Amino acid sequence: MGDHDVPFLQEAARQTPVRHETEVLVVGGGAAGVAAAVAAARGGADVMLVERYGYLGGLATGGLIILLLTLDDGRGRQVIAGLCQELVDRLAQRDAAWFPPRQEWGREDEALIRRDQRRGLVWGHAPHRVRYSVAFDPEEMKYALNEMVEDAGVRLLLHAWACDPITHAGCVDAVAFQGKSGRFAIRARVVIDASGDGDVYAAAGCAHESAQVLPWLWFTMGGIEDVDAAIDAGAGGFRTIGEGKALFPWGATEKIARRIDATSPADLTYAELECRKRVMAEVDRLRREVPGFERAHLCRIADQLGITESRRLQGRYVLRHDDMDRGFDDAVAITGHWTKYGAVYEIPYRSLLPAGVDNLLVAGRCISVDHRVHHATKEIPACMATGEAAGTAAALSVRSNTQPADLDPKALRARLSERGANLSR
Ligand SMILES: Cc1cc2nc3c(=O)[nH]c(=O)nc-3n(C[C@H](O)[C@H](O)[C@H](O)COP(=O)(O)OP(=O)(O)OC[C@H]3O[C@@H](n4cnc5c(N)ncnc54)[C@H](O)[C@@H]3O)c2cc1C
């Protein structure tokens, strides 16, 4: 039912308590939001990070999307570094990540490629190359993200859901949140929308496009006799960093009847019920039909539906497919493409800026790009890179008393490079 078909209630005007004030407010604690919050705090700003669920990582952890695709350009050169690389280092220190060693990146060795395909790290069309992509453990990732946020001095608030930005004279003054104890507001000088779905910019009336998608629901199984043999026999999963375990990226065109709007509770309810039913049927099929699965068990179904796309900002610049390999003076991140070798996008600062709201920045999968570029910029490493850029911009804005929209991109690029982000191809 569209809004024009429904009756409306008139609500009484109400007062909302301002429970917190901060310089930088980050909405959403996924890969992008964590990177934004950490970068802003390390840039010297007072930062609050607010997340609706009880853990950090968003789709990367709760969606079981436990593959960082990719940190390279497909030709053996690393293009995403900075906080994403720091996260990989932290995970690797605890044996919670697997990736090919640097000397193998870009190689066309068939045995190495087959090894990495079994881990879900090589995609696209042949001829293939070894990529710098990373498989990781989701619970370890949640903990590593907690540590990064705490070490940076970010004030974290979980279990609060952003509902309405309160805007005045082209700026977001505060954001209203809903928690169990009621509605409250957080006032901020700069707001970063890292909600994945662009909840803040949509409610602020910023231009955007919306996509309907087929939802996914990834799951893991354990107790598989010989994971590599089962994968080679066509089981359809990937080995994870846990021994005897496989990740199943469940969800495909033929398995659920219709696309959904991932911002609609009714559509999400339909998808949650349908996908779970079909995942259970797939678990039964694997046990019944695939050698090696006789004593296998279901370890975990993702807490969150896998939503590839919902809202995309139409901001001060919309990065388009034609912009592949194009250089931008205001580029604040560079990403490769997980299915293409040698395809690189520079992401301009303007793709993080909505038109018409001067102190709002956007990071992660809902930035201003077209549908095709979104395939590249939605990946976890790219989301961390745009998060890092947005957070660094927010801190610079606060320190220089300038709105993000008026910030000098040169100064921002210099600061990002100083901090270890890669801006050169
Ligand atoms: C099926 C599928 C397969 C994929 N495969 C890969 C892959 O193999 N490798 C890869 O790198 N990427 C992959 N991706 C893409 C990647 O997982 C996501 O695009 C990326 O993790 C998005 O990060 P994000 O931080 O922008 O958004 P999210 O991870 O969605 O994080 C947004 C956060 O904001 C919170 N939030 C949302 N709304 C509100 C609100 N109103 N108030 C407070 N908090 C809120 C959410 O709870 C969440 O924690 C895949 C995606 C899907 C769906």
Side-chain angles (χ1 to χ4, degrees), residues 214 250-257 278:
L214 290 163
W250 183 89
T253 320
E254 68 276 13
K255 290 186 178 156
I256 181 163
R278 288 159 197 242

Side-chain angles (χ1 to χ4, degrees), residues 103-118:
Q103 63 273 19
E104 292 178 0
W105 303 345
R107 282 181 57 184
E108 295 188 17
D109 180 307
E110 264 180 42
L112 297 179
I113 287 160
R114 186 66 203 121
R115 175 200 65 188
D116 294 357
Q117 281 173 329
R118 285 194 196 103

Side-chain angles (χ1 to χ4, degrees), residues 257-331:
R258 65 173 171 88
R259 289 172 185 271
I260 64 156
D261 168 1
T263 64
S264 153
D267 277 14
L268 288 168
T269 305
Y270 159 75
E272 294 278 5
L273 297 177
E274 276 301 296
C275 290
R276 191 168 287 264
K277 246 184 242 166
R278 288 159 197 242
V279 162
M280 295 310 284
E282 179 63 6
V283 168
D284 290 348
R285 187 193 71 79
L286 286 165
R287 281 210 200 105
R288 203 173 50 238
E289 293 177 10
V290 181
F293 278 75
E294 294 80 3
R295 283 183 297 280
H297 57 274
L298 176 63
C299 294
R300 187 169 157 196
I301 296 179
D303 301 333
Q304 300 183 30
L305 286 169
I307 300 300
T308 46
E309 199 173 354
S310 55
R311 299 190 187 103
R312 271 181 288 104
L313 181 68
Q314 299 293 284
R316 293 181 192 228
Y317 189 83
V318 182
L319 191 64
R320 300 198 182 280
H321 180 63
D322 294 347
D323 292 322
M324 187 190 290
D325 288 332
R326 179 170 165 199
F328 289 98
D329 289 345
D330 66 338

Side-chain angles (χ1 to χ4, degrees), residues 27-34 50-53 55-61 63 65-70 120 123 136 160-163 177 193-200 214-218 249-250 304-309 338 363-366 374-375 377-384 386:
V27 176
V34 169
V50 188
E51 162 59 42
R52 66 179 163 171
Y53 294 148
Y55 58 86
L56 296 174
L59 282 168
T61 56
I65 312 290
I66 51 181
L67 305 165
L68 302 178
L69 303 183
T70 170
W123 296 84
F136 63 88
W161 194 298
C163 345
F177 289 84
D193 184 345
S195 64
D197 299 314
D199 288 5
V200 179
L214 290 163
W216 299 66
L217 191 58
W218 288 22
W250 183 89
Q304 300 183 30
L305 286 169
I307 300 300
T308 46
E309 199 173 354
W338 61 290
R365 67 181 162 94
C366 54
H374 178 263
H375 280 290
T377 56
K378 77 167 197 321
E379 297 296 282
I380 302 163
C383 287
M384 291 199 73
T386 56

